[in-house]
Amino acid sequence: MSDATLHNTTQDPDDFAVQIADQVESFLVAVTEVAKGDEPDSAVPFLLLEVSQLLLAGGRLGAHEDILPDERYEPDMGPEPDVDDIRERLALMLEPVDVYSEVFDPYEPRKAPVPARISDDLADVIADLRHGMAHYRAGRTTEALWWWQFSYFSNWGSTASATLRALQSVVAHVRLNQPLAELDGLDTDQELGDETLAEEAGRVMEEEIAEPLGLRSTVK
């Protein structure tokens, strides 16, 4: 979508709100295109790039002073757009590496890792960002910024950060010619500790994931 349809002609492209909205819109469009599956060979590297760029916007929101909405109560947005189609398409495309283990809060002592899915994470991030974008398109710029900032702290920031680490790990394993440990049979309904994760880990060799996901090793 062009800037002409996202912003009105009087808005300064150097304005903070315009820049954040541009980064959010770019992420939404890009991940939606990836989920179509037209270029599966470049899916993982492209998602790595897009999540990295989104987190730059998140960092700017996080460093910004608290943004307060103009109204006490959030205007009714109507039904939320469904993200299940994107979630399912990404899950199918990323199936070999979709499930990973994550610790929700690194400052909670002895917190056991739990299974998560890249496809679930990206769909949840998209849902948060779309909610704010609906406010932005309706001309409620401050409301949009408040929502993006609030949800960055409460959900999509940590979710996108975990997803970035998982995507970076996939790329690093392949480029460094280090076989991945498969979470064989692991699902996100389970709560598993370190020992169980280790017991269920199998082996996935580079050739099983590199070509379908558009990755190549740099180590001979």
Side-chain angles (χ1 to χ4, degrees):
M1 180 163 299
S2 69
D3 288 344
T5 57
L6 182 60
H7 314 299
N8 67 53
T9 57
T10 64
Q11 287 179 297
D12 183 354
D14 293 328
D15 183 75
F16 178 77
V18 171
Q19 292 178 354
I20 296 297
D22 278 341
Q23 290 179 289
V24 168
E25 178 71 7
S26 176
F27 177 84
L28 292 174
V29 171
V31 177
T32 301
E33 287 298 313
V34 171
K36 291 179 179 178
D38 295 336
E39 298 183 25
D41 290 349
S42 59
V44 168
F46 197 66
L47 289 173
L48 176 66
L49 175 62
E50 291 302 322
V51 176
S52 298
Q53 292 178 332
L54 176 66
L55 283 169
L56 173 60
R60 295 182 67 192
L61 286 164
H64 198 281
E65 62 184 7
D66 288 349
I67 300 168
L68 299 178
D70 295 328
E71 301 177 25
R72 181 176 180 181
Y73 298 104
E74 182 180 11
D76 183 12
M77 300 298 299
E80 296 286 347
D82 186 20
V83 295
D84 285 344
D85 182 59
I86 291 177
R87 187 194 313 273
E88 292 168 4
R89 288 175 179 271
L90 289 171
L92 181 62
M93 185 185 309
L94 300 171
E95 193 275 332
V97 294
D98 195 23
V99 177
Y100 68 99
S101 61
E102 171 63 7
V103 175
F104 286 129
D105 190 340
Y107 285 98
E108 284 192 39
R110 294 181 295 280
K111 188 71 174 180
V114 296
R117 290 183 181 274
I118 295 174
S119 55
D120 287 343
D121 291 350
L122 290 174
D124 289 347
V125 171
I126 286 173
D128 276 346
L129 298 180
R130 280 180 175 177
H131 187 92
M133 185 58 71
H135 284 302
Y136 188 82
R137 292 190 185 284
R140 297 186 289 270
T141 301
T142 303
E143 188 79 33
L145 288 174
W146 170 81
W147 172 258
W148 284 328
Q149 186 186 60
F150 167 76
S151 57
Y152 169 75
F153 287 126
S154 63
N155 184 49
W156 74 260
S158 58
T159 301
S161 297
T163 306
L164 178 66
R165 182 172 175 82
L167 291 167
Q168 190 274 340
S169 181
V170 172
V171 174
H173 274 288
V174 172
R175 295 289 177 84
L176 298 176
N177 197 23
Q178 297 173 344
L180 281 170
E182 180 183 21
L183 301 180
D184 186 15
L186 182 63
D187 200 352
T188 50
D189 292 334
Q190 299 169 272
E191 297 226 0
L192 304 175
D194 289 327
E195 292 184 4
T196 309
L197 287 170
E199 289 173 1
E200 295 206 9
R203 304 298 289 175
V204 174
M205 299 305 293
E206 176 190 352
E207 59 267 21
E208 293 179 347
I209 67 168
E211 187 169 347
L213 297 178
L215 302 174
R216 297 291 182 274
S217 171
T218 58
V219 178
K220 302 297 185 182

